[in-house]
Amino acid sequence: MSIRLPIPLFVAALAVTVLASRRTAGATAPHPLLDSPSATALAATAGRDSVIFAGGCFWGVEAVFERVKGVIDVTSGYAGGSLNNPSYERVSDGDTGHAESVKIIFDPSVVSYGQLLKVFFSVAHDPTQLNFQGPDHGTQYRSAIWYASAEQQKETAAYIAQLAQAKVFPGKIVTQVSQWQRFWPAEGYHQGYYDLHPNQPYIVYNDRPKVEQLRKQFPTLYHEK
């Protein structure tokens, strides 16, 4: 079970102490990532495409992609497991096979899939952390991508290979890449959690730096929510 629990008393009394002791693990460091081959290849006409990303706690990943121009909708939820209608409590046990994930719907004429990949691998999470992100541990916090098309699959594989060859990260990229699976939306109180609880210590320490790095590293993609 992760230490991340949506309980005000826990957050106030315990999260500050625990998270402060994990300053190195919790911080999001910027990476000078390369562009994917099609990062700037925008579609000629407006449309809708989708992808599922998992990179630790879905609160922060959702907050990042909600602030990317061209992203139409972001939903926090669960993917990759076999249990139907999973709950937060069951997924947090770490035995359902699900990962906390976000389903992203975007307009490829405004933001390319390659640009979303770059954001995902640079500021949304650390792809070298195996089955954890910062203070959150378990397979439910793994790094994963569920692609929606053969084109996405090809581009994702090529980009990961490109990053590995360039040795952008000090460790091995452990992101799992799989075909689209059923996505289960999380409970309502998880949706928009970052904006509803901007001063919660977990959000301030773990997720606000991700949004700030998005603003700094991707000024042309960033927009205020």
Side-chain angles (χ1 to χ4, degrees), residues 8 11 15 22 25 44-45 48 76 98 109 127 135 147-150 165 167 173 187 198 206 216:
V11 172
R22 302 172 181 265
T45 58
R48 295 168 70 94
S76 288
H98 292 88
S109 71
Y147 56 83
S149 66
Q165 184 176 11
K167 300 185 185 302
I173 295 174
E187 296 82 347
N206 293 283
K216 290 181 178 179

Short mmCIF file of all heavy atoms in Angstrom, two decimals, residues 8 11 15 22 25 44-45 48 76 98 109 127 135 147-150 165 167 173 187 198 206 216:
data_model
loop_
_atom_site.label_atom_id
_atom_site.label_comp_id
_atom_site.label_asym_id
_atom_site.label_seq_id
_atom_site.Cartn_x
_atom_site.Cartn_y
_atom_site.Cartn_z
N PRO A 8 -7.14 13.99 4.96
CA PRO A 8 -6.56 15.27 5.39
C PRO A 8 -5.67 15.15 6.61
O PRO A 8 -4.58 15.73 6.64
CB PRO A 8 -7.79 16.13 5.66
CG PRO A 8 -8.85 15.56 4.77
CD PRO A 8 -8.60 14.09 4.76
N VAL A 11 -2.40 13.55 5.71
CA VAL A 11 -1.58 14.47 4.91
C VAL A 11 -0.94 15.51 5.80
O VAL A 11 0.24 15.81 5.68
CB VAL A 11 -2.43 15.14 3.82
CG1 VAL A 11 -1.62 16.22 3.12
CG2 VAL A 11 -2.88 14.10 2.82
N ALA A 15 2.40 13.17 6.02
CA ALA A 15 2.96 13.28 4.68
C ALA A 15 4.16 14.21 4.65
O ALA A 15 5.15 13.93 3.97
CB ALA A 15 1.91 13.76 3.70
N ARG A 22 12.23 11.92 1.60
CA ARG A 22 12.42 11.29 0.30
C ARG A 22 12.68 12.35 -0.77
O ARG A 22 12.25 12.22 -1.90
CB ARG A 22 11.18 10.47 -0.09
CG ARG A 22 10.83 9.37 0.90
CD ARG A 22 9.50 8.74 0.52
NE ARG A 22 9.10 7.71 1.43
CZ ARG A 22 9.33 6.41 1.25
NH1 ARG A 22 9.96 6.00 0.20
NH2 ARG A 22 8.92 5.53 2.15
N ALA A 25 14.15 11.08 -4.13
CA ALA A 25 13.25 10.21 -4.92
C ALA A 25 12.04 10.97 -5.43
O ALA A 25 11.53 10.68 -6.49
CB ALA A 25 12.80 9.03 -4.05
N ALA A 44 -3.07 17.43 -40.81
CA ALA A 44 -3.52 18.54 -41.64
C ALA A 44 -4.89 19.06 -41.21
O ALA A 44 -5.20 20.24 -41.41
CB ALA A 44 -3.56 18.11 -43.10
N THR A 45 -5.69 18.21 -40.60
CA THR A 45 -7.03 18.62 -40.19
C THR A 45 -7.28 18.23 -38.74
O THR A 45 -6.65 17.30 -38.21
CB THR A 45 -8.12 17.96 -41.07
OG1 THR A 45 -7.97 16.53 -40.99
CG2 THR A 45 -7.96 18.40 -42.52
N ARG A 48 -9.43 13.65 -33.45
CA ARG A 48 -9.31 13.14 -32.09
C ARG A 48 -8.51 11.84 -32.12
O ARG A 48 -8.81 10.94 -32.91
CB ARG A 48 -10.67 12.89 -31.46
CG ARG A 48 -11.49 14.15 -31.25
CD ARG A 48 -12.93 13.82 -30.91
NE ARG A 48 -13.07 13.24 -29.58
CZ ARG A 48 -13.35 13.96 -28.49
NH1 ARG A 48 -13.50 15.27 -28.58
NH2 ARG A 48 -13.48 13.37 -27.32
N SER A 76 -8.29 10.31 -15.18
CA SER A 76 -7.52 9.40 -14.33
C SER A 76 -8.27 8.09 -14.19
O SER A 76 -9.50 8.07 -14.08
CB SER A 76 -7.30 10.02 -12.95
OG SER A 76 -6.37 11.08 -13.01
N HIS A 98 -3.46 -3.75 -12.31
CA HIS A 98 -3.72 -2.43 -12.86
C HIS A 98 -2.61 -1.45 -12.49
O HIS A 98 -1.91 -1.62 -11.49
CB HIS A 98 -5.05 -1.88 -12.36
CG HIS A 98 -6.25 -2.61 -12.86
ND1 HIS A 98 -6.78 -3.71 -12.21
CD2 HIS A 98 -7.02 -2.41 -13.95
CE1 HIS A 98 -7.82 -4.15 -12.88
NE2 HIS A 98 -8.00 -3.39 -13.94
N SER A 109 -3.86 17.72 -34.81
CA SER A 109 -3.52 18.89 -35.63
C SER A 109 -2.94 20.01 -34.78
O SER A 109 -2.42 21.00 -35.31
CB SER A 109 -4.76 19.40 -36.37
OG SER A 109 -5.69 20.01 -35.49
N PRO A 127 11.08 7.43 -16.28
CA PRO A 127 10.87 6.12 -16.89
C PRO A 127 11.90 5.07 -16.49
O PRO A 127 11.83 3.93 -16.97
CB PRO A 127 10.95 6.42 -18.38
CG PRO A 127 11.91 7.56 -18.47
CD PRO A 127 11.59 8.41 -17.26
N PRO A 135 7.79 8.52 -3.88
CA PRO A 135 7.40 7.85 -2.64
C PRO A 135 6.39 6.73 -2.82
O PRO A 135 6.07 6.03 -1.86
CB PRO A 135 6.79 8.98 -1.81
CG PRO A 135 6.17 9.87 -2.85
CD PRO A 135 7.12 9.83 -4.02
N TYR A 147 -0.79 1.83 -26.37
CA TYR A 147 -0.94 2.53 -27.64
C TYR A 147 -2.27 2.18 -28.30
O TYR A 147 -2.82 1.09 -28.11
CB TYR A 147 0.22 2.21 -28.58
CG TYR A 147 0.43 0.74 -28.85
CD1 TYR A 147 -0.30 0.06 -29.82
CD2 TYR A 147 1.39 0.02 -28.13
CE1 TYR A 147 -0.10 -1.29 -30.06
CE2 TYR A 147 1.59 -1.33 -28.36
CZ TYR A 147 0.85 -1.99 -29.32
OH TYR A 147 1.04 -3.32 -29.55
N ALA A 148 -2.76 3.13 -29.09
CA ALA A 148 -4.08 2.97 -29.72
C ALA A 148 -4.00 2.62 -31.20
O ALA A 148 -5.04 2.43 -31.84
CB ALA A 148 -4.90 4.24 -29.54
N SER A 149 -2.79 2.55 -31.76
CA SER A 149 -2.66 2.27 -33.18
C SER A 149 -1.27 1.71 -33.47
O SER A 149 -0.35 1.85 -32.67
CB SER A 149 -2.88 3.54 -34.01
OG SER A 149 -1.83 4.48 -33.76
N ALA A 150 -1.15 1.11 -34.66
CA ALA A 150 0.16 0.59 -35.07
C ALA A 150 1.17 1.72 -35.23
O ALA A 150 2.36 1.55 -34.96
CB ALA A 150 0.01 -0.18 -36.39
N GLN A 165 19.75 4.85 -26.91
CA GLN A 165 21.00 4.96 -27.65
C GLN A 165 21.75 6.24 -27.30
O GLN A 165 22.98 6.26 -27.22
CB GLN A 165 20.73 4.91 -29.16
CG GLN A 165 22.00 4.92 -30.01
CD GLN A 165 21.69 4.77 -31.49
OE1 GLN A 165 20.55 4.85 -31.91
NE2 GLN A 165 22.72 4.54 -32.28
N LYS A 167 21.65 7.65 -24.50
CA LYS A 167 21.98 7.60 -23.07
C LYS A 167 21.50 8.87 -22.34
O LYS A 167 22.23 9.47 -21.55
CB LYS A 167 23.48 7.38 -22.87
CG LYS A 167 24.00 6.10 -23.48
CD LYS A 167 25.45 5.86 -23.14
CE LYS A 167 26.00 4.63 -23.85
NZ LYS A 167 25.25 3.40 -23.54
N ILE A 173 15.57 2.46 -19.36
CA ILE A 173 14.15 2.79 -19.47
C ILE A 173 13.34 1.51 -19.28
O ILE A 173 13.56 0.51 -19.98
CB ILE A 173 13.84 3.42 -20.84
CG1 ILE A 173 14.56 4.78 -20.97
CG2 ILE A 173 12.33 3.61 -21.02
CD1 ILE A 173 14.42 5.41 -22.33
N GLU A 187 -12.47 6.83 -9.42
CA GLU A 187 -13.54 7.46 -8.68
C GLU A 187 -13.52 8.98 -8.88
O GLU A 187 -12.47 9.57 -9.14
CB GLU A 187 -13.40 7.14 -7.19
CG GLU A 187 -13.57 5.66 -6.85
CD GLU A 187 -12.33 4.82 -7.06
OE1 GLU A 187 -11.37 5.28 -7.71
OE2 GLU A 187 -12.31 3.68 -6.59
N PRO A 198 -4.65 22.10 -4.22
CA PRO A 198 -3.35 22.67 -4.62
C PRO A 198 -2.36 22.81 -3.48
O PRO A 198 -1.14 22.86 -3.73
CB PRO A 198 -3.73 24.04 -5.19
CG PRO A 198 -5.01 24.39 -4.49
CD PRO A 198 -5.75 23.07 -4.37
N ASN A 206 5.36 16.68 -4.81
CA ASN A 206 5.55 15.71 -5.89
C ASN A 206 5.02 16.14 -7.25
O ASN A 206 5.60 15.77 -8.28
CB ASN A 206 4.88 14.38 -5.50
CG ASN A 206 5.56 13.70 -4.34
OD1 ASN A 206 6.61 13.09 -4.51
ND2 ASN A 206 4.98 13.83 -3.17
N LYS A 216 8.30 25.45 -18.02
CA LYS A 216 9.64 25.92 -18.36
C LYS A 216 10.19 25.26 -19.61
O LYS A 216 10.79 25.91 -20.46
CB LYS A 216 10.59 25.67 -17.19
CG LYS A 216 10.33 26.55 -15.98
CD LYS A 216 11.33 26.25 -14.88
CE LYS A 216 11.12 27.16 -13.67
NZ LYS A 216 12.09 26.85 -12.58
#
